[in-house]
Amino acid sequence: MTLLKRINGNQRLMRLVGGGSVGVLIKGSAAGLSLAMFAALAWVTDTESFGVIGFCFSLATLLAVAGSFGQRMMSLKDAAIARDTSENTRLTLIGQSSTMIVALGTLLFSLLLLPARDMGIIDLDLTVFVAMAGLAVTLALAENTVHFFRGYRSIAFALIPRDILWRLSVIAVCMIALIASFTVPTTPALWVLSLPLLGLICAQLLSEPALRDGSHIGDLISEGRRRVRNGLPFWGTSMIQTVSGPVLAPVILGVMMSPDAVGPFFAAFRIALVLDLFTLAAGMVVAPLVAKGHANSQYEDMQASLRYSVLLVSAATLICFLIIVFFGENILALMNPDFTSAAPALTVLGLGFLIAVLCGPVPNIMELAGLENLLFKRLIWFNLACLVVLVPATQHFGMMGAAVCSAGLRAAVHITLLFTVKSHLRIDPSIFSLWHKAK
């Protein structure tokens, strides 16, 4: 009854609902189109080819982060500062040097994997490997471009090419192939993923007058060196957060098992990611409130905002989790009837996301409250432990072993960080805060 009284007519809750609905619209469109894009790919490829695509996409994601050298967050921050101070020459140098770094860096890391391919550790044909490397460079350029334009242009201009137009383009190509009853081989499918995105990103970059201006080659190289050096802390954090169970597991499965096992797991992972949608949407609203509350020591207001935020997010995520539990097999069958074997793994992955959501946005809180170094150390230890367990678990138990490790990592990290936040900041961002006595 006390909980219902808190909810009924609560103005803070209404503001969160209003702001969160905008976030859900933005993230929901991208998440829905992403799921539709991979579903369309599954319809025009066979099970083995989709498994190889899932392996290559996960590996390309890792390579894109490794080759970025921390330029993503640096580009966002530096572009915002340069625009605020009307330093157009500086803005040009930031955009051109960061683009050069992520392209060359990702290509370098891709070439470093060639010996592993030659030794048979990465079982990919040369044409597939080249297409995977092209996809990695494209993903790196797209992510850096999004962050760069978010620094001083509108969110719509920054996000629509990658989050909306790219996915619609891939879906359109797949639909044409489906109507023509044409099965798309692995290598062309990877190029279908990368070329439309590369074209959109190039058009986006060339449309910006600041990036069309020429820069002295000496200044470009000097700026590039400085940015690589200063971007290493951002690079370390992004690598640790990316090289986690769900992203790494398809790569481990691809190295140790057949593509037939990777495809169902990759499909299950993409579906489970929908559970993270509401957390991302709520973060758009709550993050500035947390930053402001911590800076002004307004912990009671921060606690109140987090209390109602976790209520909304947990309720929505629980509904989606129940849909996965009861209809997960049917959802997987829509992508490919052979993927129904991943239904138990999908439930386990969903449970990991649900537990993390119930703990609240603890990693973001730590970043915004000056506990980023502690967060970095915790992420290192947990991800190393997960990696040590993930390999034998995948080897002996297949996709279920990978799912348990991935979900366990996510749950364990958030539970541990929850106790850290409660200890250091004296606030409780979890669902259990709803039953605490209001101050």
Side-chain angles (χ1 to χ4, degrees):
M1 183 62 69
T2 302
L3 178 59
L4 292 175
K5 288 181 179 179
R6 289 186 185 181
I7 295 174
N8 186 29
N10 189 284
Q11 295 301 314
R12 190 189 301 272
L13 179 61
M14 294 302 103
R15 287 196 300 270
L16 287 172
V17 169
S21 62
V22 176
V24 168
L25 179 62
I26 295 172
K27 290 297 182 181
S29 299
L33 287 174
S34 178
L35 190 57
M37 180 180 73
F38 284 108
L41 276 172
W43 294 338
V44 298
T45 58
D46 55 38
T47 303
E48 182 176 350
S49 295
F50 187 79
V52 176
I53 292 169
F55 170 77
C56 290
F57 192 89
S58 300
L59 183 58
T61 301
L62 296 177
L63 290 172
V65 177
S68 70
F69 291 105
Q71 296 307 300
R72 300 174 178 184
M73 292 305 297
M74 274 194 71
S75 297
L76 191 155
K77 182 185 69 174
D78 292 348
I81 295 173
R83 188 65 172 181
D84 187 57
T85 55
S86 299
E87 296 179 86
N88 292 332
T89 303
R90 176 70 181 155
L91 193 64
T92 300
L93 206 54
I94 292 168
Q96 293 177 350
S97 60
S98 63
T99 300
M100 176 188 69
I101 291 169
V102 298
L104 294 179
T106 306
L107 182 60
L108 172 63
F109 274 94
S110 300
L111 293 175
L112 291 176
L113 288 183
L114 274 175
R117 193 201 75 88
D118 294 337
M119 291 185 291
I121 298 175
I122 298 177
D123 188 16
L124 294 176
D125 292 337
L126 183 58
T127 56
V128 177
F129 184 88
V130 171
M132 184 278 299
L135 178 60
V137 173
T138 302
L139 291 176
L141 287 171
E143 192 67 28
N144 184 71
T145 301
V146 166
H147 281 74
F148 175 71
F149 284 126
R150 278 181 59 199
Y152 70 99
R153 293 290 297 266
S154 68
I155 292 179
F157 181 84
L159 294 180
I160 285 178
R162 184 196 64 177
D163 286 4
I164 306 297
L165 298 182
W166 168 49
R167 293 177 168 99
L168 287 175
S169 300
V170 176
I171 292 171
V173 173
C174 291
M175 289 299 100
I176 292 172
L178 187 64
I179 293 172
S181 300
F182 180 71
T183 300
V184 181
T186 304
T187 302
L190 290 172
W191 286 118
V192 166
L193 279 172
S194 60
L195 290 180
L197 179 59
L198 182 61
L200 288 166
I201 293 304
C202 288
Q204 191 178 23
L205 290 172
L206 292 175
S207 70
E208 178 57 43
L211 297 180
R212 293 200 301 266
D213 296 337
S215 296
H216 192 275
I217 187 65
D219 294 336
L220 202 59
I221 294 175
S222 176
E223 176 68 11
R225 290 174 178 172
R226 186 193 70 82
R227 293 187 67 81
V228 170
R229 183 173 60 252
N230 294 342
L232 290 180
F234 295 102
W235 179 78
T237 302
S238 62
M239 279 297 296
I240 290 297
Q241 291 179 325
T242 302
V243 184
S244 59
V247 178
L248 188 61
V251 178
I252 300 296
L253 277 169
V255 172
M256 304 181 66
M257 302 182 68
S258 67
D260 292 345
V262 182
F265 182 86
F266 184 71
F269 169 50
R270 303 309 303 189
I271 295 171
L273 275 179
V274 175
L275 296 181
D276 205 30
L277 160 67
F278 302 101
T279 300
L280 294 173
M284 293 182 179
V285 182
V286 172
L289 300 178
V290 171
K292 178 182 177 181
H294 174 69
N296 299 320
S297 298
Q298 297 172 338
Y299 291 102
E300 291 186 15
D301 288 344
M302 191 194 310
Q303 176 70 80
S305 298
L306 291 169
R307 177 182 293 121
Y308 297 113
S309 170
V310 76
L311 168 64
L312 297 171
V313 172
S314 298
T317 306
L318 179 60
I319 293 172
C320 291
F321 176 70
L322 292 176
I323 292 174
I324 284 177
V325 170
F326 292 106
F327 303 104
E329 188 171 334
N330 303 93
I331 298 172
L332 286 164
L334 288 175
M335 299 182 73
N336 190 318
D338 294 334
F339 292 171
T340 55
S341 59
L346 173 58
T347 300
V348 171
L349 288 170
L351 181 61
F353 277 100
L354 177 62
I355 293 173
V357 167
L358 295 178
C359 292
V362 280
N364 305 97
I365 293 172
M366 292 183 69
E367 285 183 316
L368 294 167
L371 300 175
E372 63 275 5
N373 291 332
L374 182 57
L375 172 64
F376 182 66
K377 293 176 182 178
R378 295 285 174 84
L379 290 175
I380 288 178
W381 285 111
F382 273 104
N383 278 276
L384 286 176
C386 178
L387 181 59
V388 170
V389 178
L390 181 60
V391 175
T394 302
Q395 185 176 13
H396 293 290
F397 302 103
M399 73 172 76
M400 181 54 73
V404 170
C405 288
S406 302
L409 170 66
R410 194 171 187 89
V413 166
H414 281 75
I415 291 172
T416 304
L417 296 182
L418 171 60
F419 285 105
T420 302
V421 168
K422 292 173 68 174
S423 173
H424 285 75
L425 302 179
R426 306 299 179 187
I427 61 173
D428 183 1
S430 74
I431 190 67
F432 302 104
S433 65
L434 292 170
W435 287 271
H436 293 175
K437 184 178 179 181
K439 295 182 180 181

